[in-house]
Amino acid sequence: MFFLGIAIQGLLLRRVAASVIPSDAQWAELNQTVGGRLYTSLPLAASCFSTVNGSPSTPNATECAMVQQGYTQPDFRSTHYSAHMLPQWETCQSTVQRCLLNSNDPSDPTAWEDNECWQGAIASRYIDVRSEDDVLAALSFVNETGIQFSIKASGHDYKGRSSFGSLSLWTRNLDSLNYSAVFLPEGGNETYPAITIGAGVPFEDVYAFAEENNITVVGGYHQTIAASGGWVQAGGHSILSPIYGLGVDRVLQYKIVTLDGVLRTVNKFQNSDLFWALRGGAGSTFGVVLESTMLVEPQMSLRVAAISFNQTADNARGFLELLVNNSYKWGQEGWGGHMGPASLINVNPLLTLEEAQASVQPIVDYALAQNGTAVVEDLASWQTFFAKYVESAEASVGVQTILGSRLIPTDPFFTDDDGKEALVDLMVKMVDTYAVNPYIIQGTPFLYNYTEGTTSVTPAWRNSLWQIGFHENMLYNATLETMYAQYEIVNNITSWMRELAPDSGAYFNEANPYEPDHEVTFWGDNYPALLELKNKYDPFKLLDCWMCVGWQGPADERYSCYLNISTDY
Ligand SMILES: Cc1cc2nc3c(=O)[nH]c(=O)nc-3n(C[C@H](O)[C@H](O)[C@H](O)COP(=O)(O)OP(=O)(O)OC[C@H]3O[C@@H](n4cnc5c(N)ncnc54)[C@H](O)[C@@H]3O)c2cc1C
């Protein structure tokens, strides 16, 4: 029986149970309450294996073939509950229990012939959430049973925060999309052109919808990130952010069921403390967001520069120097983009085509001198640009990938000769020492007119010009020893970046899973107030996640699948 107080907007939870294992009858009752949409889960590739979770299993060749085909496709992954974009978060890394295919060749039978399939980090049960009632029922159940739960939208998380637990709330099918030219936040008196996006909608659908409505939505550089999921709760950079701000700058309202069991409309007029917290405090912390409403821009044409050449030991430094020397000017001109030692895809909505060509001429010349290619063109809309350039250039999925990153302050790294040289040296050292390329994102809100104190992301976003990230890929069958060695490389590079810019911070969504001093790195001075709000809206600590606000620390039993890697470096 549930002991619940009834609040005006929803179910007000009271702490009921210490952790117990729910009975079959309790699960059955939950299933009934959520309309039969409580499911048990198996790993994505389970149909390929003849031993699953320790028991004999009959492989299903048809299903296995489908999984092989979709293995590295974001659309396939995002529509399957058990799949995560970075498959290590489907696995138990510490025990090396997993159920993966070879991402370099998903049809390689060695993957399932030589291995058993294990559940790993995938929550054993999930609810296919379709409404706030499902969320309220789930929270009531969690409160009653004390079980650990998680929230998953697309599974893009780089740190496993949408994995684990006995129950997961899968929001992928909260798929509503609405545009209003006169959106009025509840309690407000001013209207805005805005789009309201259900918690599961991938950016590719948002962009197609925006195109139909002649508007531009400022969003991420990947098809399947959930626009109203982790992206808009922890920062949300776009290559249009230099002019139009981060996702958290543009959000006007959230609808959320907070972890005390209350459905709330959150904006600057009501629940304003929570509005601030959600604008940077990150996902899986304060509740289950049902939708967010974001400001939109009119449809805009874009000047696009797309440059690439074959990288060699001799030509990377020269290109990186050009990037560092030009980026401040490009920032002032409104460029944003993704760059590396031998490539660049940048966009600009402010310059004319002639101005854009002149602006990037030095790197065009450089690329052509390396027998590379360079295009500077005018495209009609964000959607046109996205389809032409991003879908083929976005970060790979289906591959075990560890990430690290740091926000790089404008001053001194783009304003001072010594600063510039130190930055180039760091990037060249990454390449020379570990053959790891810097992944440069000019996606900080460089020209955006920020109102101080309105968001809770690290203030480092506001005085940085770049985020430098990097990827380290692990083979599907990496041994424990190899995994530790690869995390060590990531930690080494992270420490170089921290030494270079010790007072800066990192983007919570795209940081090293073993980032030192995470409270300061991800939130700076905002952390104490965020912690207070975590305690207010999650009084019974129903939700905890790795390095999130209020994190209970790595020793908690739910983190037993993470590797035992020190963050003291
Ligand atoms: C290939 C790739 C490309 C990326 N590109 C960009 C980019 O261009 N710009 C950028 O800013 N970031 C980018 N990211 C990072 C991305 O924004 C984050 O991983 C983000 O958290 C993904 O959110 P999600 O909800 O889609 O993913 P999920 O893994 O489903 O969720 C991420 C986190 O948010 C929580 N969460 C999800 N939905 C909800 C909800 N409804 N309520 C409460 N909590 C929720 C989850 O529990 C988890 O903690 C990229 C990541 C990948 C893997």
Side-chain angles (χ1 to χ4, degrees):
M1 174 177 169
F2 298 139
F3 293 91
L4 300 174
I6 304 297
I8 297 169
Q9 297 147 298
L11 297 169
L12 183 64
L13 300 185
R14 293 191 194 129
R15 185 34 134 186
V16 174
S19 182
V20 292
I21 298 170
S23 65
D24 289 349
Q26 282 175 304
W27 284 117
E29 190 180 336
L30 175 63
N31 186 32
Q32 200 177 15
T33 315
V34 298
R37 278 173 285 96
L38 171 69
Y39 299 100
T40 52
S41 70
L42 281 177
L44 181 69
S47 57
C48 300
F49 288 76
S50 54
T51 305
V52 176
N53 291 330
S55 301
S57 179
T58 309
N60 179 327
T62 314
E63 267 183 38
C64 177
M66 271 173 50
V67 174
Q68 291 169 39
Q69 209 174 13
Y71 202 71
T72 56
Q73 303 301 317
D75 282 323
F76 184 79
R77 287 193 164 264
S78 84
T79 46
H80 285 80
Y81 168 71
S82 301
H84 289 253
M85 297 297 157
L86 299 322
Q88 73 267 30
W89 300 118
E90 298 165 17
T91 77
C92 185
Q93 293 176 66
S94 60
T95 59
V96 204
Q97 285 184 312
R98 53 196 170 196
C99 188
L100 301 183
L101 300 189
N102 178 354
S103 41
N104 292 326
D105 173 11
S107 63
D108 172 5
T110 328
W112 56 87
E113 284 173 4
D114 290 2
N115 297 290
E116 295 185 349
C117 166
W118 291 98
Q119 190 77 11
I122 302 159
S124 46
R125 285 185 171 82
Y126 69 95
I127 297 173
D128 177 0
V129 173
R130 301 289 172 125
S131 70
E132 68 205 46
D133 291 342
D134 291 348
V135 175
L136 289 166
L139 290 187
S140 168
F141 183 82
V142 166
N143 187 58
E144 184 187 87
T145 59
I147 60 163
Q148 290 166 358
F149 85 106
S150 52
I151 308 163
K152 180 189 177 224
S154 72
H156 266 257
D157 197 76
Y158 275 110
K159 294 184 215 156
R161 294 164 310 173
S162 47
S163 307
F164 302 104
S166 305
L167 176 65
S168 173
L169 307 192
W170 189 35
T171 59
R172 175 65 177 78
N173 293 313
L174 289 173
D175 57 2
S176 57
L177 272 173
N178 283 296
Y179 165 59
S180 169
V182 287
F183 174 78
L184 181 67
E186 276 185 41
N189 50 17
E190 199 183 330
T191 64
Y192 306 85
I195 185 169
T196 299
I197 307 171
V201 185
F203 266 120
E204 61 187 348
D205 291 1
V206 175
Y207 296 151
F209 180 81
E211 181 87 351
E212 283 164 23
N213 287 280
N214 294 318
I215 53 173
T216 305
V217 175
V218 174
Y221 203 78
H222 201 277
Q223 291 161 267
T224 50
I225 299 167
S228 291
W231 185 83
V232 77
Q233 296 175 60
H237 64 69
S238 164
I239 58 175
L240 295 176
S241 294
I243 300 169
Y244 301 104
L246 297 170
V248 291
D249 292 324
R250 302 182 59 79
V251 70
L252 298 168
Q253 182 166 287
Y254 299 92
K255 288 223 166 120
I256 181 173
V257 179
T258 42
L259 295 165
D260 51 1
V262 182
L263 170 66
R264 298 172 196 270
T265 299
V266 177
N267 58 37
K268 72 174 172 180
F269 308 102
Q270 51 193 52
N271 299 302
S272 57
D273 59 351
L274 183 57
F275 188 48
W276 175 82
L278 284 171
R279 297 173 87 182
S284 30
T285 302
F286 302 101
V288 183
V289 167
L290 300 171
E291 64 180 36
S292 74
T293 303
M294 298 175 207
L295 192 62
V296 300
E297 301 297 321
Q299 192 167 93
M300 61 182 81
S301 65
L302 295 169
R303 263 52 63 207
V304 180
I307 288 167
S308 69
F309 55 90
N310 284 334
Q311 182 176 343
T312 67
D314 296 329
N315 64 19
R317 185 176 183 105
F319 193 66
L320 290 170
E321 280 172 353
L322 278 173
L323 298 184
V324 171
N325 288 332
N326 282 282
S327 278
Y328 187 72
K329 175 178 89 85
W330 289 337
Q332 289 174 318
E333 291 170 343
W335 287 99
H338 287 208
M339 304 177 269
S343 67
L344 166 153
I345 299 178
N346 285 8
V347 298
N348 191 312
L350 302 182
L351 299 180
T352 65
L353 183 60
E354 292 69 32
E355 288 167 343
Q357 282 164 335
S359 170
V360 296
Q361 196 59 47
I363 44 168
V364 169
D365 293 343
Y366 192 90
L368 295 181
Q370 312 303 316
N371 295 320
T373 59
V375 177
V376 185
E377 65 175 332
D378 203 358
L379 292 179
S381 66
W382 172 263
Q383 167 72 357
T384 322
F385 161 72
F386 193 81
K388 181 164 181 184
Y389 286 103
V390 182
E391 288 177 11
S392 53
E394 64 190 8
S396 307
V397 304
V399 184
Q400 302 199 91
T401 306
I402 324 169
L403 190 87
S405 73
R406 191 94 180 148
L407 291 161
I408 304 298
T410 308
D411 184 11
F413 298 108
F414 300 92
T415 53
D416 170 283
D417 285 345
D418 289 344
K420 289 179 188 175
E421 195 180 342
L423 180 55
V424 173
D425 284 347
L426 168 92
M427 294 189 287
V428 171
K429 188 171 164 188
M430 287 163 67
V431 179
D432 288 351
T433 314
Y434 294 121
V436 167
N437 275 342
Y439 191 111
I440 301 162
I441 300 179
Q442 188 139 346
T444 61
F446 184 66
L447 293 180
Y448 178 73
N449 190 8
Y450 176 64
T451 306
E452 201 60 43
T454 48
T455 67
S456 48
V457 290
T458 166
W461 277 106
R462 308 293 167 188
N463 56 22
S464 294
L465 182 58
W466 282 5
Q467 172 183 285
I468 297 188
F470 59 93
H471 299 111
E472 176 75 4
N473 292 342
M474 301 188 288
L475 291 176
Y476 82 103
N477 56 357
T479 60
L480 197 56
E481 198 183 15
T482 315
M483 288 194 281
Y484 271 106
Q486 293 190 271
Y487 275 104
E488 193 180 334
I489 292 175
V490 174
N491 284 1
N492 288 346
I493 298 177
T494 303
S495 71
W496 298 344
M497 297 201 297
R498 293 174 64 86
E499 278 160 26
L500 182 82
D503 300 326
S504 187
Y507 177 25
F508 178 78
N509 274 343
E510 296 189 325
N512 180 344
Y514 299 95
E515 183 74 42
D517 202 11
H518 68 277
E519 295 98 333
V520 174
T521 304
F522 301 140
W523 295 287
D525 295 351
N526 293 323
Y527 189 76
L530 281 168
L531 185 57
E532 226 172 88
L533 291 166
K534 167 73 175 171
N535 293 333
K536 175 174 171 185
Y537 289 104
D538 185 10
F540 306 120
K541 306 219 178 316
L542 296 192
L543 199 47
D544 194 68
C545 56
W546 187 259
M547 293 196 180
C548 296
V549 171
W551 184 39
Q552 294 180 18
D556 191 273
E557 165 264 324
R558 81 183 82 195
Y559 301 117
S560 60
C561 279
Y562 285 74
L563 295 181
N564 183 13
I565 291 175
S566 168
T567 57
D568 188 15
Y569 61 87

